[in-house]
Amino acid sequence: MKLRKASAAAAAVVVLSLTATACGGDSADSGNGGGDKITIGIKFDQPGLGLKKPDGTFAGFDVDVATYVAKELGYDAKNIVWKEAPSAERENLISNGDVKFVAASYTINDERKKKVDFAGPYFLAHQDLLVRTDDSSITKAADLNSKKLCSVTGSTSAQNVKNDFAPKADLQNVGGYSECLTGLENKAVDALTTDDSILAGYASQQEHQGKFKLAGLKLSDEPYGIGLKKGDTDLQKKINAALTKMESDGSWEKAVTANFGPANYKNEPAPKINEGS
């Protein structure tokens, strides 16, 4: 009898333990500010926006925005888990629930809004050109005719220039922006094109300061938003409220200056939040 009672008691303990585990299994991302974690998607390879540094820490404007938003949602910075969000994987990471939200130079457009919802926009970038500081021959996109224009394979930016502004541009596609920067410095190419925020981030790096300048062209509008799961209007409203607060208390402007200042980047004012992005 005693053995049966002991077995029953042990079984009860196991059941209670399993029940507690099941109830607490969703503690991550619950946002109570304690030991819970929140997973956020960012770029790991964009200086000035989202960059994983050699010491394993993260820096950039998107990182600062995401950290501010997470705090407003109830998470301390130490409880953020950063997940790399390459451009082609952003929608999948959100839809699969791998991240709570994505802040990764993520332009809001109609095609993407079919798959995910957006909070924001929190930044307005434009497609621009990066040229050598001592090069005064490129002041408009048409000046790229018969010049070598560098961009990353798969990017639409360089093709936009070739299609709409400089059909005779000699397009050079490479594997990464660092290759374009090396080519630009060595005069193997004449210009690099992508979002001005990304260009400013590269130009602000210590090893590049003084070598490059932005042409200051506005070849497109790129409103950056925070991507989140389709239909999560509650989270969308909370993030929009956080972004509004970040702009009003001066934290937004401080983050812009800290991350893009060395490139003398003339950013747009904080854009108006679209409540139904």
Side-chain angles (χ1 to χ4, degrees), residues 14-251:
V14 170
V15 169
L16 286 171
S17 175
L18 289 172
T19 303
T21 302
C23 291
D26 292 328
S27 62
D29 288 358
S30 65
N32 65 15
D36 296 335
K37 304 289 185 181
I38 182 171
T39 303
I40 301 172
I42 57 169
K43 293 290 180 66
F44 279 18
D45 59 352
Q46 286 185 343
L49 286 161
L51 182 69
K52 185 176 183 178
K53 299 193 289 186
D55 64 0
T57 60
F58 298 87
F61 181 71
D62 283 345
V63 176
D64 291 345
V65 170
T67 301
Y68 189 100
V69 169
K71 184 179 180 181
E72 291 299 304
L73 293 177
Y75 298 91
D76 295 332
K78 68 178 184 293
N79 292 328
I80 297 173
V81 177
W82 300 110
K83 189 173 184 65
E84 187 168 18
S87 295
E89 291 299 316
R90 290 176 296 202
E91 285 87 15
N92 290 335
L93 290 171
I94 294 167
S95 299
N96 294 339
D98 296 324
V99 295
K100 191 74 169 179
F101 61 81
V102 167
S105 54
Y106 201 2
T107 299
I108 301 170
N109 63 38
D110 291 339
E111 191 62 30
R112 289 170 178 162
K113 285 164 73 172
K114 294 176 183 177
K115 301 174 183 177
V116 300
D117 281 340
F118 285 97
Y122 62 92
F123 194 81
L124 179 59
H126 303 283
Q127 186 182 338
D128 199 359
L129 305 174
L130 192 70
V131 297
R132 288 181 294 278
T133 303
D134 60 0
D135 186 354
S136 59
S137 68
I138 302 173
T139 58
K140 57 185 183 298
D143 292 335
L144 290 169
N145 281 310
S146 301
K147 291 185 179 289
K148 292 180 179 177
L149 175 65
C150 191
S151 195
V152 173
T153 302
S155 167
T156 58
S157 298
Q159 200 59 53
N160 288 344
V161 171
K162 194 169 175 65
N163 290 345
D164 300 334
F165 301 103
K168 294 181 181 178
D170 182 3
L171 193 52
Q172 309 280 313
N173 286 314
V174 298
Y177 290 117
S178 59
E179 293 177 59
C180 283
L181 287 163
T182 300
L184 189 57
E185 184 176 1
N186 297 336
K187 300 186 178 181
V189 297
D190 300 298
L192 159 61
T193 187
T194 187
D195 294 359
D196 52 9
S197 57
I198 298 172
L199 297 175
Y202 279 109
S204 295
Q205 286 185 292
Q206 189 170 358
E207 64 269 30
H208 296 144
Q209 287 180 22
K211 296 178 181 177
F212 309 117
K213 64 182 179 182
L214 278 76
L217 310 182
K218 297 179 179 180
L219 305 179
S220 69
D221 290 336
E222 308 293 338
Y224 292 170
I226 291 180
L228 52 116
K229 188 164 285 190
K230 194 78 176 168
D232 195 344
T233 54
D234 182 57
L235 180 60
Q236 185 185 52
K237 288 177 182 177
K238 288 178 179 177
I239 294 178
N240 279 335
L243 294 174
T244 300
K245 182 179 177 181
M246 185 178 187
E247 193 278 326
S248 65
D249 70 12
S251 298

